Amino acid sequence: MSSSQTDIIDSSIRLEKVKNVVVIGAGISGIVTTAHLLRIGLNVTVIERADKVGGAWNYSPQPDPDPPFPSMRPPTPELQQSCVEGLSLQDMKSRFAPPGPVYASMKSRNSAAVMQTSLLGWPEGTEDYMGHEKVLAYLQDLACVYHVNERARFSTRVESVAKRESDDRWLVQTCELIRTTIGYTLKRDTCEFDAVVVATGRYNVPRVPDIPGLSTWKQEFPSRVSHSRQYRTPDRFCNKIVLVIGGFISSLEITNDLTSNGAKVYHSAKDTMFDFRDRVDHENAEKVPMVGKFTITSEDVPTPRLLDDDSPIPGRVILESGRVLEHIHHVIIATGYLCSYPFLGPTLEAPSMPLQDADEKVIITADYRTVHNLHEDIFYIPDPTLAFIGVSHFASTFSLYDFQAQVLATVFAGRVRLPSQPAMEVEQMRRKSRVLPGTFLNSIFLLDDFVIRRLLEWVNQDLVAGGFEALRGPDPKWRDEFKVLRENARPLLGKFQDNYLSS
């Protein structure tokens, strides 16, 4: 063995003191992470702000309250704001766990084989592209089989996560909502852990672009302008003209739902390489350029109470092409979400730091769409006892997050070494140098099988050398079906897939 190879091994990182782990979130990422950590012998506490597992797959007919218009950065995190006394029980529950983005007719985006985890198969006879009820039932079964519920503290928000320098323990401050006979009480607590896993997902803070006049439309006609997170059913849009803004998957799905139920849709977005609007195949959907501004046609505007359900909004939509749209009844903003971890504090979540100025410590910058300084989108490079599952974007979430959780468990258990910090920093800079315009650092462009293969080569070397069983990765059926999925995406993603694989 050469001296350079010896130096690499000597400087690699092996975590040997992780015994007690906190997992923040009990959606798919949190459930599979907890299961694999328990299976490998670690003690796990799960903190979940809702009163049950399932995360974003929990359906509520009650939509999320309005986000700010615009919403280009999350609200400033304050302990007092999220755990404020004096609200009704229902209002407090909404603060703790706002309703998610699932709408009534929502189905899974992938087949059962592609969405299956290594932990549990789907029930016999499960159809592909199943409804959200069956997806949630699968997650609940996973949590039951692997005793996730027994490890969970439900109706509990994480308010602060910080490392105590004196003994390298993580201090996690929480606020628990406890129902009482007369309402509720709030219980604050601080617990200590050896490691922290953030598994809170990517669908928490709606992103609303700052389009001139949009905030005025929202103020004047609040029930007519909403974010896709608030969409539930197409009923009230039947025989109406709807402007959907956004060119990604949620806008495609909602446009299909609307047009299939009698709505006329103008589908507006910037022209990008990720434009899904061409996949809408309905005579009542028209692809139009991005909105330039919203205007009101008359100063004598009726109040929202006087604008009846059948009347269009008395305003014009000026597209960037100069075309004018009128007689719009509703606007749905389907421009995605902001990625935010406010409990990590201002050093790791730096709202004033531009994306291009990200240093070697920050996790979230002003764009709120990139998660920085994670090795393999999992381990925080300056301190790998802070980890994330569910960051990778444009991926087959169930299977990939399940495998990432397996990798995480082997590292936390001390069975697999991480590269040295300098080596991980070099790799992070290499990845950033290859990010193409209009894309994000954490996107893998449906190359899950290649990512998993790379991770297998890394972790299995140490596992086999240590006398442990090697990780197998997804089964052959998953590989076959995922290959078809990936190849079918080539017309849209081929350029980005090739760039990712060449880096």
Side-chain angles (χ1 to χ4, degrees), residues 431-447:
R431 282 188 64 188
K432 287 190 172 184
S433 71
R434 301 291 298 185
V435 175
L436 295 174
T439 66
F440 303 104
L441 174 66
N442 313 111
S443 295
I444 65 170
F445 311 109
L446 290 181
L447 292 172

Side-chain angles (χ1 to χ4, degrees), residues 50-196:
D51 57 6
K52 53 185 173 295
V53 301
W57 284 99
N58 277 301
Y59 172 73
S60 169
Q62 179 67 33
D64 193 21
D66 286 330
F69 274 71
S71 174
M72 298 299 287
R73 63 174 55 182
T76 302
E78 294 290 343
L79 183 65
Q80 295 79 11
Q81 290 181 349
S82 56
C83 282
V84 62
E85 305 277 359
L87 298 176
S88 69
L89 175 60
Q90 188 59 43
D91 287 343
M92 182 56 75
K93 286 178 63 178
S94 182
R95 275 179 176 261
F96 262 69
V102 174
Y103 53 90
S105 62
M106 186 172 179
K107 296 182 180 296
S108 63
R109 291 170 179 167
N110 292 314
S111 67
V114 170
M115 289 184 67
Q116 183 168 298
T117 70
S118 65
L119 295 163
L120 186 68
W122 289 90
E124 189 70 28
T126 298
E127 72 276 13
D128 289 339
Y129 309 102
M130 71 291 294
H132 59 81
E133 303 91 346
K134 291 188 177 181
V135 179
L136 178 60
Y138 178 79
L139 295 176
Q140 291 170 335
D141 288 345
L142 265 177
C144 181
V145 170
Y146 291 95
H147 308 288
V148 175
N149 291 311
E150 294 96 308
R151 301 291 180 143
R153 293 172 54 189
F154 292 112
S155 299
T156 301
R157 288 182 62 97
V158 173
E159 302 292 346
S160 173
V161 173
K163 195 73 173 283
R164 186 168 57 199
E165 294 184 3
S166 61
D167 60 359
D168 280 342
R169 297 274 284 173
W170 287 99
L171 302 182
V172 179
Q173 295 182 8
T174 61
C175 182
E176 181 182 3
L177 174 64
I178 302 174
R179 297 190 188 189
T180 67
T181 56
I182 59 173
Y184 66 89
T185 186
L186 298 172
K187 178 184 176 182
R188 291 178 173 83
D189 195 10
T190 300
C191 298
E192 300 181 10
F193 300 95
D194 302 315
V196 176

Side-chain angles (χ1 to χ4, degrees), residues 183-237:
Y184 66 89
T185 186
L186 298 172
K187 178 184 176 182
R188 291 178 173 83
D189 195 10
T190 300
C191 298
E192 300 181 10
F193 300 95
D194 302 315
V196 176
V197 182
V198 180
T200 53
R202 302 184 66 98
Y203 302 103
N204 295 317
V205 183
R207 178 179 179 271
V208 179
D210 190 6
I211 302 173
L214 176 60
S215 61
T216 301
W217 272 39
K218 179 62 178 176
Q219 181 179 355
E220 297 292 342
F221 314 105
S223 67
R224 299 297 192 91
V225 181
S226 60
H227 189 272
S228 58
R229 182 181 169 94
Q230 301 169 297
Y231 180 80
R232 290 297 180 267
T233 71
D235 300 348
R236 71 189 185 108
F237 305 100

Side-chain angles (χ1 to χ4, degrees), residues 415-444:
R415 299 180 182 182
V416 172
R417 296 164 299 173
L418 287 162
S420 67
Q421 183 171 333
M424 290 191 287
E425 290 173 346
V426 169
E427 170 64 14
Q428 176 79 176
M429 294 305 299
R430 184 194 62 78
R431 282 188 64 188
K432 287 190 172 184
S433 71
R434 301 291 298 185
V435 175
L436 295 174
T439 66
F440 303 104
L441 174 66
N442 313 111
S443 295
I444 65 170

